[in-house]
Amino acid sequence: MTSPEPRRRPGGRTARIRQQVLDAVLAELGEHGYDGLAVETVAARAGVHRATVYRRWGDVGGLLADVLDAAGDDDWQPPDTGSLHGDLAALNQEIHDALVAEPPVVAALIAASFRSEKAELAQRRLWEGRYARCETIVSRAVQRAEVPPGTDAQRLLIAATAPVYHQLLLLRTPPDPALPDQAARTAVLAASAGAFAGA
Amino acid sequence: MTSPEPRRRPGGRTARIRQQVLDAVLAELGEHGYDGLAVETVAARAGVHRATVYRRWGDVGGLLADVLDAAGDDDWQPPDTGSLHGDLAALNQEIHDALVAEPPVVAALIAASFRSEKAELAQRRLWEGRYARCETIVSRAVQRAEVPPGTDAQRLLIAATAPVYHQLLLLRTPPDPALPDQAARTAVLAASAGAFAGA
């Protein structure tokens, strides 16, 4: 759900330079983490003059923010498996895989959002966009009568996904293959019992 | 649950110096955040020679790790309100209050754990200790027959608390006074439905 994969996109020289620079940010971030990230090395890796990078992105925070904005500017759609449990389990699996990926680019971006206000705002925009797209998972579940009408989509989605982030990103417990499905099942049981309908 | 309050403790000169230094770390962290934290300014604020600080704590990571270890070395006990919902809601309220406190010392410590391996390990130890102490909340709930025997205490506690961390620390949504109670209620409904009993 949060994976900022390098992508090819149409466009002229400006779009091409952006892509080269953002790919270089991801590569540098994966190799050296936030502390090793510098405008100079990103520019060199991208084959772009550093004055161009400074002019267009300002600093490391600006580069990270643009990586996150580019990641959200895609055609990602949430899983559609035919059941609420299936959708949430597949969503959690995507989050799990992104958080344990090597190099740990997604984890590094989230960590960077604690350091740079620009990156923090962009990370929030990315998550808001992702959770908004996921609301369809809940509206489909309401249509299928799996959960009560009036179920709060955001609260359900956060309950389903938060344990995955919490364990892998904060508690840093060893990766648990059962976690994505267990957290999905827990949220479904709570939702069926009406936990997210009403106040 | 995570609040490292300055505390007085008995002991001789060594213990007194440790307390002065750790209090100075918390004060500097609250005022300047991780990026403004330096052994020199901590030593000056504590009124301790910087050579002493370097010798005993090594670096900023060592100082933060000791703050976290000291925070865990206390007599904190989880709430005991007479019901699972009450206990989890009170626990979540403690977490909520610590995460929205000003100055944001707890949030800064968690952010620092993304920067320093020593701080990361100490933060993990602190959380492990806190969640272990909280297991009594679940065993009491089993005894009261509020949840099925065999309910997995760790999974239940993580499901109850993760949304509070997720919203305040990662998604950085505005503080929501209803959040601690809602997340507690959700976990209770799931637990009653058997979400944490069995595989």
Side-chain angles (χ1 to χ4, degrees), chain A residues 114-115 120 124 127 131 155 165-166 170-172 182 195-196, chain B residues 114-115 120 124 127 131 155 165-166 170-172 182 186 189:
Chain A
F114 286 101
R115 311 277 301 276
E120 179 195 320
R124 279 164 57 177
W127 266 323
Y131 278 108
R155 281 174 51 206
Y165 286 103
H166 194 56
L170 296 180
L171 305 184
R172 297 183 184 86
Q182 282 179 345
F196 311 107
Chain B
F114 285 102
R115 310 277 302 278
E120 179 196 318
R124 277 163 59 177
W127 266 322
Y131 278 107
R155 281 174 50 206
Y165 286 104
H166 194 56
L170 296 180
L171 305 184
R172 298 182 183 85
Q182 283 179 345
T186 299
L189 284 170

PDB file of all heavy atoms in Angstrom, chain A residues 114-115 120 124 127 131 155 165-166 170-172 182 195-196, chain B residues 114-115 120 124 127 131 155 165-166 170-172 182 186 189:
ATOM      1  N   PHE A 114       9.877  11.579  10.545  1.00  0.00           N
ATOM      2  CA  PHE A 114      10.089  12.117  11.892  1.00  0.00           C
ATOM      3  C   PHE A 114      11.159  13.206  11.901  1.00  0.00           C
ATOM      4  O   PHE A 114      11.372  13.846  12.917  1.00  0.00           O
ATOM      5  CB  PHE A 114      10.510  11.001  12.862  1.00  0.00           C
ATOM      6  CG  PHE A 114       9.391  10.088  13.259  1.00  0.00           C
ATOM      7  CD1 PHE A 114       9.243   8.847  12.686  1.00  0.00           C
ATOM      8  CD2 PHE A 114       8.474  10.485  14.224  1.00  0.00           C
ATOM      9  CE1 PHE A 114       8.211   8.004  13.053  1.00  0.00           C
ATOM     10  CE2 PHE A 114       7.435   9.654  14.606  1.00  0.00           C
ATOM     11  CZ  PHE A 114       7.303   8.408  14.015  1.00  0.00           C
ATOM     12  N   ARG A 115      11.843  13.393  10.762  1.00  0.00           N
ATOM     13  CA  ARG A 115      12.977  14.299  10.725  1.00  0.00           C
ATOM     14  C   ARG A 115      12.701  15.568   9.945  1.00  0.00           C
ATOM     15  O   ARG A 115      13.307  16.604  10.192  1.00  0.00           O
ATOM     16  CB  ARG A 115      14.164  13.590  10.052  1.00  0.00           C
ATOM     17  CG  ARG A 115      14.480  12.219  10.573  1.00  0.00           C
ATOM     18  CD  ARG A 115      15.315  12.324  11.802  1.00  0.00           C
ATOM     19  NE  ARG A 115      16.536  13.036  11.512  1.00  0.00           N
ATOM     20  CZ  ARG A 115      17.638  12.484  11.000  1.00  0.00           C
ATOM     21  NH1 ARG A 115      17.655  11.216  10.730  1.00  0.00           N
ATOM     22  NH2 ARG A 115      18.712  13.199  10.783  1.00  0.00           N
ATOM     23  N   GLU A 120       7.080  14.721   6.449  1.00  0.00           N
ATOM     24  CA  GLU A 120       5.965  14.338   7.312  1.00  0.00           C
ATOM     25  C   GLU A 120       4.631  14.660   6.642  1.00  0.00           C
ATOM     26  O   GLU A 120       3.712  13.838   6.607  1.00  0.00           O
ATOM     27  CB  GLU A 120       6.053  15.070   8.651  1.00  0.00           C
ATOM     28  CG  GLU A 120       4.892  14.726   9.565  1.00  0.00           C
ATOM     29  CD  GLU A 120       4.743  15.679  10.748  1.00  0.00           C
ATOM     30  OE1 GLU A 120       5.764  16.079  11.338  1.00  0.00           O
ATOM     31  OE2 GLU A 120       3.593  16.029  11.068  1.00  0.00           O
ATOM     32  N   ARG A 124       1.812  11.981   5.364  1.00  0.00           N
ATOM     33  CA  ARG A 124       0.407  12.047   5.770  1.00  0.00           C
ATOM     34  C   ARG A 124      -0.517  12.087   4.568  1.00  0.00           C
ATOM     35  O   ARG A 124      -1.554  11.418   4.542  1.00  0.00           O
ATOM     36  CB  ARG A 124       0.171  13.283   6.647  1.00  0.00           C
ATOM     37  CG  ARG A 124       0.575  13.045   8.069  1.00  0.00           C
ATOM     38  CD  ARG A 124       0.722  14.316   8.863  1.00  0.00           C
ATOM     39  NE  ARG A 124      -0.477  15.135   8.872  1.00  0.00           N
ATOM     40  CZ  ARG A 124      -0.566  16.268   9.571  1.00  0.00           C
ATOM     41  NH1 ARG A 124       0.460  16.703  10.270  1.00  0.00           N
ATOM     42  NH2 ARG A 124      -1.669  16.958   9.549  1.00  0.00           N
ATOM     43  N   TRP A 127      -0.728   8.551   3.120  1.00  0.00           N
ATOM     44  CA  TRP A 127      -1.596   7.670   3.900  1.00  0.00           C
ATOM     45  C   TRP A 127      -3.072   8.066   3.758  1.00  0.00           C
ATOM     46  O   TRP A 127      -3.940   7.207   3.613  1.00  0.00           O
ATOM     47  CB  TRP A 127      -1.170   7.671   5.366  1.00  0.00           C
ATOM     48  CG  TRP A 127      -0.230   6.555   5.726  1.00  0.00           C
ATOM     49  CD1 TRP A 127      -0.263   5.281   5.247  1.00  0.00           C
ATOM     50  CD2 TRP A 127       0.883   6.608   6.637  1.00  0.00           C
ATOM     51  NE1 TRP A 127       0.750   4.535   5.811  1.00  0.00           N
ATOM     52  CE2 TRP A 127       1.461   5.324   6.664  1.00  0.00           C
ATOM     53  CE3 TRP A 127       1.431   7.600   7.447  1.00  0.00           C
ATOM     54  CZ2 TRP A 127       2.579   5.019   7.475  1.00  0.00           C
ATOM     55  CZ3 TRP A 127       2.525   7.286   8.241  1.00  0.00           C
ATOM     56  CH2 TRP A 127       3.089   6.017   8.245  1.00  0.00           C
ATOM     57  N   TYR A 131      -5.819   5.411   2.527  1.00  0.00           N
ATOM     58  CA  TYR A 131      -6.981   5.019   3.339  1.00  0.00           C
ATOM     59  C   TYR A 131      -8.283   5.442   2.656  1.00  0.00           C
ATOM     60  O   TYR A 131      -9.279   4.719   2.722  1.00  0.00           O
ATOM     61  CB  TYR A 131      -6.873   5.597   4.758  1.00  0.00           C
ATOM     62  CG  TYR A 131      -5.983   4.773   5.679  1.00  0.00           C
ATOM     63  CD1 TYR A 131      -4.724   5.227   6.066  1.00  0.00           C
ATOM     64  CD2 TYR A 131      -6.398   3.533   6.155  1.00  0.00           C
ATOM     65  CE1 TYR A 131      -3.902   4.465   6.899  1.00  0.00           C
ATOM     66  CE2 TYR A 131      -5.586   2.768   6.983  1.00  0.00           C
ATOM     67  CZ  TYR A 131      -4.335   3.240   7.356  1.00  0.00           C
ATOM     68  OH  TYR A 131      -3.524   2.475   8.169  1.00  0.00           O
ATOM     69  N   ARG A 155     -12.249   4.065  10.734  1.00  0.00           N
ATOM     70  CA  ARG A 155     -11.937   3.392  12.001  1.00  0.00           C
ATOM     71  C   ARG A 155     -11.710   1.903  11.788  1.00  0.00           C
ATOM     72  O   ARG A 155     -10.798   1.312  12.379  1.00  0.00           O
ATOM     73  CB  ARG A 155     -13.060   3.642  13.015  1.00  0.00           C
ATOM     74  CG  ARG A 155     -12.964   5.024  13.679  1.00  0.00           C
ATOM     75  CD  ARG A 155     -14.158   5.311  14.569  1.00  0.00           C
ATOM     76  NE  ARG A 155     -14.410   4.238  15.515  1.00  0.00           N
ATOM     77  CZ  ARG A 155     -15.591   3.968  16.048  1.00  0.00           C
ATOM     78  NH1 ARG A 155     -16.658   4.693  15.721  1.00  0.00           N
ATOM     79  NH2 ARG A 155     -15.725   2.984  16.893  1.00  0.00           N
ATOM     80  N   TYR A 165       1.550  -2.222  11.327  1.00  0.00           N
ATOM     81  CA  TYR A 165       2.525  -1.138  11.491  1.00  0.00           C
ATOM     82  C   TYR A 165       3.151  -1.167  12.882  1.00  0.00           C
ATOM     83  O   TYR A 165       4.360  -0.982  13.038  1.00  0.00           O
ATOM     84  CB  TYR A 165       1.849   0.222  11.271  1.00  0.00           C
ATOM     85  CG  TYR A 165       1.527   0.548   9.840  1.00  0.00           C
ATOM     86  CD1 TYR A 165       0.232   0.452   9.349  1.00  0.00           C
ATOM     87  CD2 TYR A 165       2.521   0.971   8.959  1.00  0.00           C
ATOM     88  CE1 TYR A 165      -0.077   0.771   8.037  1.00  0.00           C
ATOM     89  CE2 TYR A 165       2.228   1.291   7.637  1.00  0.00           C
ATOM     90  CZ  TYR A 165       0.926   1.191   7.183  1.00  0.00           C
ATOM     91  OH  TYR A 165       0.629   1.501   5.880  1.00  0.00           O
ATOM     92  N   HIS A 166       2.308  -1.364  13.901  1.00  0.00           N
ATOM     93  CA  HIS A 166       2.792  -1.284  15.278  1.00  0.00           C
ATOM     94  C   HIS A 166       3.861  -2.336  15.541  1.00  0.00           C
ATOM     95  O   HIS A 166       4.924  -2.032  16.079  1.00  0.00           O
ATOM     96  CB  HIS A 166       1.607  -1.468  16.236  1.00  0.00           C
ATOM     97  CG  HIS A 166       1.906  -1.086  17.650  1.00  0.00           C
ATOM     98  ND1 HIS A 166       2.372   0.152  18.005  1.00  0.00           N
ATOM     99  CD2 HIS A 166       1.824  -1.781  18.817  1.00  0.00           C
ATOM    100  CE1 HIS A 166       2.549   0.209  19.328  1.00  0.00           C
ATOM    101  NE2 HIS A 166       2.222  -0.953  19.836  1.00  0.00           N
ATOM    102  N   LEU A 170       7.203  -0.180  15.056  1.00  0.00           N
ATOM    103  CA  LEU A 170       7.487   0.375  16.385  1.00  0.00           C
ATOM    104  C   LEU A 170       8.045  -0.698  17.325  1.00  0.00           C
ATOM    105  O   LEU A 170       9.147  -0.573  17.821  1.00  0.00           O
ATOM    106  CB  LEU A 170       6.238   1.034  16.975  1.00  0.00           C
ATOM    107  CG  LEU A 170       5.726   2.260  16.204  1.00  0.00           C
ATOM    108  CD1 LEU A 170       4.482   2.836  16.877  1.00  0.00           C
ATOM    109  CD2 LEU A 170       6.791   3.346  16.091  1.00  0.00           C
ATOM    110  N   LEU A 171       7.276  -1.773  17.547  1.00  0.00           N
ATOM    111  CA  LEU A 171       7.759  -2.810  18.460  1.00  0.00           C
ATOM    112  C   LEU A 171       8.905  -3.601  17.841  1.00  0.00           C
ATOM    113  O   LEU A 171       9.708  -4.182  18.545  1.00  0.00           O
ATOM    114  CB  LEU A 171       6.625  -3.764  18.840  1.00  0.00           C
ATOM    115  CG  LEU A 171       5.364  -3.122  19.432  1.00  0.00           C
ATOM    116  CD1 LEU A 171       4.376  -4.204  19.849  1.00  0.00           C
ATOM    117  CD2 LEU A 171       5.705  -2.231  20.617  1.00  0.00           C
ATOM    118  N   ARG A 172       8.965  -3.617  16.509  1.00  0.00           N
ATOM    119  CA  ARG A 172      10.018  -4.333  15.775  1.00  0.00           C
ATOM    120  C   ARG A 172      10.137  -5.787  16.235  1.00  0.00           C
ATOM    121  O   ARG A 172      11.224  -6.299  16.478  1.00  0.00           O
ATOM    122  CB  ARG A 172      11.356  -3.605  15.903  1.00  0.00           C
ATOM    123  CG  ARG A 172      11.337  -2.204  15.270  1.00  0.00           C
ATOM    124  CD  ARG A 172      12.687  -1.543  15.362  1.00  0.00           C
ATOM    125  NE  ARG A 172      12.675  -0.182  14.854  1.00  0.00           N
ATOM    126  CZ  ARG A 172      12.350   0.904  15.578  1.00  0.00           C
ATOM    127  NH1 ARG A 172      11.956   0.775  16.828  1.00  0.00           N
ATOM    128  NH2 ARG A 172      12.398   2.096  15.034  1.00  0.00           N
ATOM    129  N   GLN A 182      -4.305 -12.440  10.891  1.00  0.00           N
ATOM    130  CA  GLN A 182      -4.875 -12.316  12.239  1.00  0.00           C
ATOM    131  C   GLN A 182      -5.450 -10.923  12.472  1.00  0.00           C
ATOM    132  O   GLN A 182      -6.543 -10.773  13.026  1.00  0.00           O
ATOM    133  CB  GLN A 182      -3.796 -12.592  13.289  1.00  0.00           C
ATOM    134  CG  GLN A 182      -3.506 -14.074  13.480  1.00  0.00           C
ATOM    135  CD  GLN A 182      -2.422 -14.312  14.514  1.00  0.00           C
ATOM    136  OE1 GLN A 182      -1.701 -13.395  14.893  1.00  0.00           O
ATOM    137  NE2 GLN A 182      -2.301 -15.544  14.972  1.00  0.00           N
ATOM    138  N   ALA A 195     -18.574  -2.767  16.234  1.00  0.00           N
ATOM    139  CA  ALA A 195     -17.597  -1.889  16.904  1.00  0.00           C
ATOM    140  C   ALA A 195     -17.439  -0.541  16.200  1.00  0.00           C
ATOM    141  O   ALA A 195     -17.095   0.443  16.847  1.00  0.00           O
ATOM    142  CB  ALA A 195     -16.232  -2.576  16.978  1.00  0.00           C
ATOM    143  N   PHE A 196     -17.674  -0.502  14.903  1.00  0.00           N
ATOM    144  CA  PHE A 196     -17.408   0.731  14.155  1.00  0.00           C
ATOM    145  C   PHE A 196     -18.687   1.400  13.667  1.00  0.00           C
ATOM    146  O   PHE A 196     -18.646   2.311  12.839  1.00  0.00           O
ATOM    147  CB  PHE A 196     -16.464   0.449  12.987  1.00  0.00           C
ATOM    148  CG  PHE A 196     -15.257  -0.343  13.394  1.00  0.00           C
ATOM    149  CD1 PHE A 196     -15.123  -1.678  13.029  1.00  0.00           C
ATOM    150  CD2 PHE A 196     -14.274   0.236  14.175  1.00  0.00           C
ATOM    151  CE1 PHE A 196     -14.020  -2.412  13.429  1.00  0.00           C
ATOM    152  CE2 PHE A 196     -13.173  -0.484  14.581  1.00  0.00           C
ATOM    153  CZ  PHE A 196     -13.042  -1.826  14.201  1.00  0.00           C
TER     154      PHE A 196
ATOM    155  N   PHE B 114      14.449   5.569  15.811  1.00  0.00           N
ATOM    156  CA  PHE B 114      14.693   5.315  14.387  1.00  0.00           C
ATOM    157  C   PHE B 114      16.102   5.756  13.982  1.00  0.00           C
ATOM    158  O   PHE B 114      16.526   5.522  12.862  1.00  0.00           O
ATOM    159  CB  PHE B 114      13.674   6.058  13.513  1.00  0.00           C
ATOM    160  CG  PHE B 114      12.314   5.442  13.507  1.00  0.00           C
ATOM    161  CD1 PHE B 114      11.293   5.974  14.258  1.00  0.00           C
ATOM    162  CD2 PHE B 114      12.057   4.309  12.755  1.00  0.00           C
ATOM    163  CE1 PHE B 114      10.038   5.402  14.265  1.00  0.00           C
ATOM    164  CE2 PHE B 114      10.808   3.731  12.747  1.00  0.00           C
ATOM    165  CZ  PHE B 114       9.790   4.272  13.508  1.00  0.00           C
ATOM    166  N   ARG B 115      16.812   6.426  14.885  1.00  0.00           N
ATOM    167  CA  ARG B 115      18.100   7.007  14.529  1.00  0.00           C
ATOM    168  C   ARG B 115      19.268   6.291  15.166  1.00  0.00           C
ATOM    169  O   ARG B 115      20.366   6.313  14.628  1.00  0.00           O
ATOM    170  CB  ARG B 115      18.141   8.469  15.002  1.00  0.00           C
ATOM    171  CG  ARG B 115      16.956   9.308  14.613  1.00  0.00           C
ATOM    172  CD  ARG B 115      17.136   9.812  13.233  1.00  0.00           C
ATOM    173  NE  ARG B 115      18.348  10.591  13.119  1.00  0.00           N
ATOM    174  CZ  ARG B 115      18.453  11.881  13.469  1.00  0.00           C
ATOM    175  NH1 ARG B 115      17.428  12.518  13.964  1.00  0.00           N
ATOM    176  NH2 ARG B 115      19.587  12.517  13.318  1.00  0.00           N
ATOM    177  N   GLU B 120      16.967   2.254  19.944  1.00  0.00           N
ATOM    178  CA  GLU B 120      15.961   1.326  19.428  1.00  0.00           C
ATOM    179  C   GLU B 120      15.837   0.100  20.340  1.00  0.00           C
ATOM    180  O   GLU B 120      14.734  -0.316  20.702  1.00  0.00           O
ATOM    181  CB  GLU B 120      16.328   0.884  18.007  1.00  0.00           C
ATOM    182  CG  GLU B 120      15.323  -0.106  17.433  1.00  0.00           C
ATOM    183  CD  GLU B 120      15.842  -0.849  16.204  1.00  0.00           C
ATOM    184  OE1 GLU B 120      16.482  -0.204  15.354  1.00  0.00           O
ATOM    185  OE2 GLU B 120      15.601  -2.063  16.105  1.00  0.00           O
ATOM    186  N   ARG B 124      12.605  -0.954  22.605  1.00  0.00           N
ATOM    187  CA  ARG B 124      11.985  -2.284  22.526  1.00  0.00           C
ATOM    188  C   ARG B 124      11.902  -2.936  23.895  1.00  0.00           C
ATOM    189  O   ARG B 124      10.880  -3.527  24.263  1.00  0.00           O
ATOM    190  CB  ARG B 124      12.775  -3.177  21.562  1.00  0.00           C
ATOM    191  CG  ARG B 124      12.386  -2.935  20.119  1.00  0.00           C
ATOM    192  CD  ARG B 124      13.387  -3.478  19.150  1.00  0.00           C
ATOM    193  NE  ARG B 124      13.593  -4.915  19.294  1.00  0.00           N
ATOM    194  CZ  ARG B 124      14.393  -5.607  18.490  1.00  0.00           C
ATOM    195  NH1 ARG B 124      15.046  -5.008  17.509  1.00  0.00           N
ATOM    196  NH2 ARG B 124      14.541  -6.890  18.660  1.00  0.00           N
ATOM    197  N   TRP B 127       9.044  -1.298  25.834  1.00  0.00           N
ATOM    198  CA  TRP B 127       7.724  -1.763  25.407  1.00  0.00           C
ATOM    199  C   TRP B 127       7.480  -3.210  25.831  1.00  0.00           C
ATOM    200  O   TRP B 127       6.393  -3.556  26.300  1.00  0.00           O
ATOM    201  CB  TRP B 127       7.564  -1.599  23.898  1.00  0.00           C
ATOM    202  CG  TRP B 127       6.900  -0.317  23.504  1.00  0.00           C
ATOM    203  CD1 TRP B 127       5.869   0.306  24.154  1.00  0.00           C
ATOM    204  CD2 TRP B 127       7.204   0.504  22.366  1.00  0.00           C
ATOM    205  NE1 TRP B 127       5.518   1.458  23.485  1.00  0.00           N
ATOM    206  CE2 TRP B 127       6.307   1.605  22.385  1.00  0.00           C
ATOM    207  CE3 TRP B 127       8.130   0.412  21.328  1.00  0.00           C
ATOM    208  CZ2 TRP B 127       6.314   2.598  21.410  1.00  0.00           C
ATOM    209  CZ3 TRP B 127       8.135   1.408  20.364  1.00  0.00           C
ATOM    210  CH2 TRP B 127       7.243   2.490  20.406  1.00  0.00           C
ATOM    211  N   TYR B 131       4.276  -4.222  28.033  1.00  0.00           N
ATOM    212  CA  TYR B 131       3.253  -5.174  27.571  1.00  0.00           C
ATOM    213  C   TYR B 131       3.236  -6.419  28.470  1.00  0.00           C
ATOM    214  O   TYR B 131       2.164  -6.973  28.737  1.00  0.00           O
ATOM    215  CB  TYR B 131       3.479  -5.553  26.101  1.00  0.00           C
ATOM    216  CG  TYR B 131       2.925  -4.523  25.120  1.00  0.00           C
ATOM    217  CD1 TYR B 131       3.760  -3.691  24.397  1.00  0.00           C
ATOM    218  CD2 TYR B 131       1.547  -4.386  24.948  1.00  0.00           C
ATOM    219  CE1 TYR B 131       3.251  -2.734  23.515  1.00  0.00           C
ATOM    220  CE2 TYR B 131       1.027  -3.440  24.072  1.00  0.00           C
ATOM    221  CZ  TYR B 131       1.883  -2.615  23.353  1.00  0.00           C
ATOM    222  OH  TYR B 131       1.367  -1.682  22.495  1.00  0.00           O
ATOM    223  N   ARG B 155      -1.511 -10.390  21.820  1.00  0.00           N
ATOM    224  CA  ARG B 155      -2.263  -9.989  20.628  1.00  0.00           C
ATOM    225  C   ARG B 155      -3.413  -9.071  21.001  1.00  0.00           C
ATOM    226  O   ARG B 155      -3.689  -8.090  20.305  1.00  0.00           O
ATOM    227  CB  ARG B 155      -2.758 -11.227  19.868  1.00  0.00           C
ATOM    228  CG  ARG B 155      -1.643 -11.878  19.021  1.00  0.00           C
ATOM    229  CD  ARG B 155      -2.101 -13.190  18.389  1.00  0.00           C
ATOM    230  NE  ARG B 155      -3.370 -13.062  17.710  1.00  0.00           N
ATOM    231  CZ  ARG B 155      -4.223 -14.064  17.509  1.00  0.00           C
ATOM    232  NH1 ARG B 155      -3.933 -15.270  17.956  1.00  0.00           N
ATOM    233  NH2 ARG B 155      -5.354 -13.853  16.871  1.00  0.00           N
ATOM    234  N   TYR B 165      -1.342   4.499  18.949  1.00  0.00           N
ATOM    235  CA  TYR B 165      -0.020   4.826  18.406  1.00  0.00           C
ATOM    236  C   TYR B 165      -0.108   5.187  16.923  1.00  0.00           C
ATOM    237  O   TYR B 165       0.516   6.131  16.455  1.00  0.00           O
ATOM    238  CB  TYR B 165       0.934   3.639  18.577  1.00  0.00           C
ATOM    239  CG  TYR B 165       1.422   3.400  19.985  1.00  0.00           C
ATOM    240  CD1 TYR B 165       0.911   2.370  20.757  1.00  0.00           C
ATOM    241  CD2 TYR B 165       2.402   4.206  20.542  1.00  0.00           C
ATOM    242  CE1 TYR B 165       1.370   2.141  22.055  1.00  0.00           C
ATOM    243  CE2 TYR B 165       2.867   3.994  21.833  1.00  0.00           C
ATOM    244  CZ  TYR B 165       2.346   2.954  22.581  1.00  0.00           C
ATOM    245  OH  TYR B 165       2.795   2.739  23.865  1.00  0.00           O
ATOM    246  N   HIS B 166      -0.879   4.389  16.174  1.00  0.00           N
ATOM    247  CA  HIS B 166      -0.929   4.577  14.721  1.00  0.00           C
ATOM    248  C   HIS B 166      -1.453   5.969  14.366  1.00  0.00           C
ATOM    249  O   HIS B 166      -0.876   6.670  13.548  1.00  0.00           O
ATOM    250  CB  HIS B 166      -1.813   3.494  14.103  1.00  0.00           C
ATOM    251  CG  HIS B 166      -1.669   3.376  12.619  1.00  0.00           C
ATOM    252  ND1 HIS B 166      -0.464   3.148  11.998  1.00  0.00           N
ATOM    253  CD2 HIS B 166      -2.583   3.458  11.613  1.00  0.00           C
ATOM    254  CE1 HIS B 166      -0.649   3.091  10.678  1.00  0.00           C
ATOM    255  NE2 HIS B 166      -1.918   3.277  10.422  1.00  0.00           N
ATOM    256  N   LEU B 170       1.972   7.968  13.760  1.00  0.00           N
ATOM    257  CA  LEU B 170       2.269   7.776  12.338  1.00  0.00           C
ATOM    258  C   LEU B 170       1.338   8.619  11.464  1.00  0.00           C
ATOM    259  O   LEU B 170       1.788   9.461  10.696  1.00  0.00           O
ATOM    260  CB  LEU B 170       2.181   6.295  11.965  1.00  0.00           C
ATOM    261  CG  LEU B 170       3.217   5.392  12.660  1.00  0.00           C
ATOM    262  CD1 LEU B 170       3.036   3.941  12.223  1.00  0.00           C
ATOM    263  CD2 LEU B 170       4.648   5.834  12.360  1.00  0.00           C
ATOM    264  N   LEU B 171       0.030   8.407  11.570  1.00  0.00           N
ATOM    265  CA  LEU B 171      -0.888   9.181  10.720  1.00  0.00           C
ATOM    266  C   LEU B 171      -0.967  10.639  11.172  1.00  0.00           C
ATOM    267  O   LEU B 171      -1.308  11.505  10.384  1.00  0.00           O
ATOM    268  CB  LEU B 171      -2.289   8.571  10.755  1.00  0.00           C
ATOM    269  CG  LEU B 171      -2.392   7.084  10.396  1.00  0.00           C
ATOM    270  CD1 LEU B 171      -3.861   6.647  10.392  1.00  0.00           C
ATOM    271  CD2 LEU B 171      -1.760   6.808   9.032  1.00  0.00           C
ATOM    272  N   ARG B 172      -0.642  10.889  12.443  1.00  0.00           N
ATOM    273  CA  ARG B 172      -0.660  12.239  13.005  1.00  0.00           C
ATOM    274  C   ARG B 172      -1.993  12.948  12.727  1.00  0.00           C
ATOM    275  O   ARG B 172      -2.036  14.095  12.313  1.00  0.00           O
ATOM    276  CB  ARG B 172       0.513  13.072  12.477  1.00  0.00           C
ATOM    277  CG  ARG B 172       1.865  12.475  12.884  1.00  0.00           C
ATOM    278  CD  ARG B 172       3.006  13.342  12.401  1.00  0.00           C
ATOM    279  NE  ARG B 172       4.315  12.789  12.689  1.00  0.00           N
ATOM    280  CZ  ARG B 172       4.948  11.903  11.922  1.00  0.00           C
ATOM    281  NH1 ARG B 172       4.384  11.466  10.818  1.00  0.00           N
ATOM    282  NH2 ARG B 172       6.127  11.456  12.247  1.00  0.00           N
ATOM    283  N   GLN B 182     -12.667   4.107  22.180  1.00  0.00           N
ATOM    284  CA  GLN B 182     -13.113   3.348  21.002  1.00  0.00           C
ATOM    285  C   GLN B 182     -12.190   2.180  20.713  1.00  0.00           C
ATOM    286  O   GLN B 182     -12.650   1.067  20.419  1.00  0.00           O
ATOM    287  CB  GLN B 182     -13.156   4.273  19.775  1.00  0.00           C
ATOM    288  CG  GLN B 182     -14.366   5.190  19.740  1.00  0.00           C
ATOM    289  CD  GLN B 182     -14.347   6.092  18.521  1.00  0.00           C
ATOM    290  OE1 GLN B 182     -13.331   6.235  17.842  1.00  0.00           O
ATOM    291  NE2 GLN B 182     -15.479   6.714  18.240  1.00  0.00           N
ATOM    292  N   THR B 186     -13.277  -1.737  20.775  1.00  0.00           N
ATOM    293  CA  THR B 186     -13.087  -2.597  19.603  1.00  0.00           C
ATOM    294  C   THR B 186     -12.369  -3.881  19.990  1.00  0.00           C
ATOM    295  O   THR B 186     -12.777  -4.982  19.593  1.00  0.00           O
ATOM    296  CB  THR B 186     -12.266  -1.836  18.549  1.00  0.00           C
ATOM    297  OG1 THR B 186     -12.988  -0.674  18.165  1.00  0.00           O
ATOM    298  CG2 THR B 186     -11.992  -2.706  17.337  1.00  0.00           C
ATOM    299  N   LEU B 189     -14.684  -6.228  21.979  1.00  0.00           N
ATOM    300  CA  LEU B 189     -15.656  -6.919  21.123  1.00  0.00           C
ATOM    301  C   LEU B 189     -14.981  -8.057  20.368  1.00  0.00           C
ATOM    302  O   LEU B 189     -15.521  -9.162  20.273  1.00  0.00           O
ATOM    303  CB  LEU B 189     -16.295  -5.929  20.141  1.00  0.00           C
ATOM    304  CG  LEU B 189     -17.366  -5.002  20.746  1.00  0.00           C
ATOM    305  CD1 LEU B 189     -17.748  -3.918  19.743  1.00  0.00           C
ATOM    306  CD2 LEU B 189     -18.601  -5.795  21.161  1.00  0.00           C
TER     307      LEU B 189
END
